[in-house]
Amino acid sequence: MALLSPSFSSPSYRLFRCRRSNNISSKYHHGGEPTKELKISPSRVSTRSVSIKEGISRRDLVLIGLSSSLSTLLPLSSSPVTLAAEEAGKMGSMVDEINAYSYAYPLELPSEKLVFKWVESRKPERYSSAAPLSPDARLRIVSERLDLIDNLVISVSIGPPNSTFLTSKDKKTWTAKDVADSVLSDKSALRVTSSQRLEESSVLDAHSTDIDGEPYWYYEYLVRKSPTKIAEASKMYRHYISSTAERDGYLYTINASTLGKQWDMMGPVLERAVESFRLLPPTDSYVPPYKDPWRFW
């Protein structure tokens, strides 16, 4: 945590701020007693004798002077907002004009003194030429970046809703759990049924929120896959966080994942990336998923 220098706008310092090294002298009279004098400098309090006038006590004056002195010695603590920004670290920006969406991704993790080494494994491409995630090619990855060293993957996929789970055409009636099931049912590359694909995944949480009048569905889930039976339990699944939005009859989904054992450390930065996901107003570069479905270039 960075230490901040003493603030010159603090009330205690502003009350006793002096020009250069000049002192401020205040004289107090009380009845027939001799004149008493208090001298205050920016860094110390000099009390040859102190009296009482107009409700100001010896204790009050000494405490005020000490607060001024302490404010020049002790650093002020950072605000919660400043600390949160420092701990979160810098974020990069990803804008895909072909599919009209954007999101932010983490560049560092200050708390662990870690700098991510992202590789853009799949540059943004149109839906018709994107890599399919299922044999029927309904769900396709249109962009992907990964960090091999830290086992992080952030991808964006597009696909039509699965009518088995999303029976209504009105997306306002869709629940986050139904949207999650719709996406996950088409995610496996294995030639199995939708129900078998869902058995690979366990949805931990699902909720929705409106952003600019459009619903965004968020869900967190585990995918249990292990190449061997002797693999450690913490390596037998990946932990995912996702967000889905609908446009032109297609679901746009961002997925961010890491190994289960790394979730406590990496989860918060991946959540920030997913929460930043937005569909953008289409430009001249936008290619809707339904356009030229026969094209593979």
Side-chain angles (χ1 to χ4, degrees):
M1 178 181 70
L3 294 179
L4 303 180
S5 60
S7 171
F8 289 90
S9 63
S10 63
S12 58
Y13 193 91
R14 186 167 58 248
L15 180 61
F16 297 106
R17 184 171 51 194
C18 300
R19 293 183 179 178
R20 301 183 184 276
S21 60
N22 296 334
N23 292 337
I24 298 176
S25 297
S26 298
K27 295 184 178 181
Y28 300 90
H29 301 270
H30 185 259
E33 295 183 4
T35 299
K36 312 290 185 176
E37 185 178 39
L38 168 69
K39 284 190 176 182
I40 302 174
S41 66
S43 60
R44 61 189 179 277
V45 178
S46 175
T47 56
R48 286 187 286 182
S49 62
V50 180
S51 181
I52 300 175
K53 182 184 179 183
E54 297 178 355
I56 300 178
S57 66
R58 178 198 302 264
R59 178 176 176 274
D60 292 334
L61 290 172
V62 172
L63 289 178
I64 291 174
L66 287 176
S67 68
S68 175
S69 179
L70 289 174
S71 69
T72 64
L73 297 175
L74 300 179
L76 299 179
S77 60
S78 302
S79 66
V81 174
T82 302
L83 290 176
E86 291 176 353
E87 294 174 356
K90 298 178 181 178
M91 301 288 284
S93 178
M94 163 64 177
V95 179
D96 179 358
E97 294 185 349
I98 297 175
N99 299 291
Y101 66 81
S102 69
Y103 66 84
Y105 58 93
L107 298 177
E108 62 181 10
L109 189 60
S111 61
E112 301 294 329
K113 297 181 180 179
L114 177 65
V115 177
F116 296 114
K117 298 174 177 60
W118 293 104
V119 176
E120 196 171 30
S121 57
R122 296 182 182 181
K123 295 184 177 181
E125 57 186 329
R126 56 190 300 145
Y127 172 77
S128 63
S129 59
L133 280 169
S134 56
D136 54 15
R138 286 168 48 87
L139 188 65
R140 304 183 185 185
I141 298 176
V142 295
S143 72
E144 183 178 66
R145 67 179 62 245
L146 50 87
D147 183 334
L148 293 172
I149 296 177
D150 299 300
N151 292 295
L152 305 179
V153 179
I154 300 178
S155 65
V156 176
S157 60
I158 300 177
N162 189 322
S163 59
T164 302
F165 304 98
L166 302 176
T167 57
S168 173
K169 298 295 184 180
D170 183 5
K171 60 185 177 183
K172 297 290 186 180
T173 65
W174 297 350
T175 67
K177 180 61 166 59
D178 289 341
V179 171
D181 287 342
S182 174
V183 174
L184 295 177
S185 66
D186 284 332
K187 193 171 182 181
S188 175
L190 301 176
R191 293 186 177 278
V192 294
T193 64
S194 296
S195 60
Q196 288 175 314
R197 293 172 191 165
L198 284 175
E199 288 178 0
E200 297 175 352
S201 308
S202 297
V203 177
L204 304 178
D205 178 64
H207 65 277
S208 64
T209 186
D210 281 355
I211 300 176
D212 297 328
E214 291 294 325
Y216 281 73
W217 301 275
Y218 298 89
Y219 41 100
E220 183 179 344
Y221 61 98
L222 307 178
V223 174
R224 293 182 174 84
K225 289 182 180 180
S226 177
T228 64
K229 293 184 178 180
I230 61 175
E232 297 179 14
S234 61
K235 294 182 180 179
M236 291 179 63
Y237 64 88
R238 289 189 68 85
H239 201 136
Y240 284 79
I241 184 82
S242 300
S243 174
T244 297
E246 187 274 344
R247 179 173 58 199
D248 295 332
Y250 284 78
L251 301 179
Y252 290 67
T253 302
I254 182 173
N255 296 284
S257 69
T258 188
L259 296 178
K261 66 176 184 177
Q262 297 183 174
W263 183 255
D264 288 343
M265 179 174 64
M266 299 296 184
V269 293
L270 294 182
E271 288 175 354
R272 287 186 68 201
V274 169
E275 289 171 357
S276 70
F277 179 67
R278 297 288 186 275
L279 296 185
L280 302 176
T283 64
D284 293 339
S285 301
Y286 172 63
V287 181
Y290 55 78
K291 184 177 181 180
D292 300 334
W294 48 270
R295 291 183 60 178
F296 292 94
W297 64 91

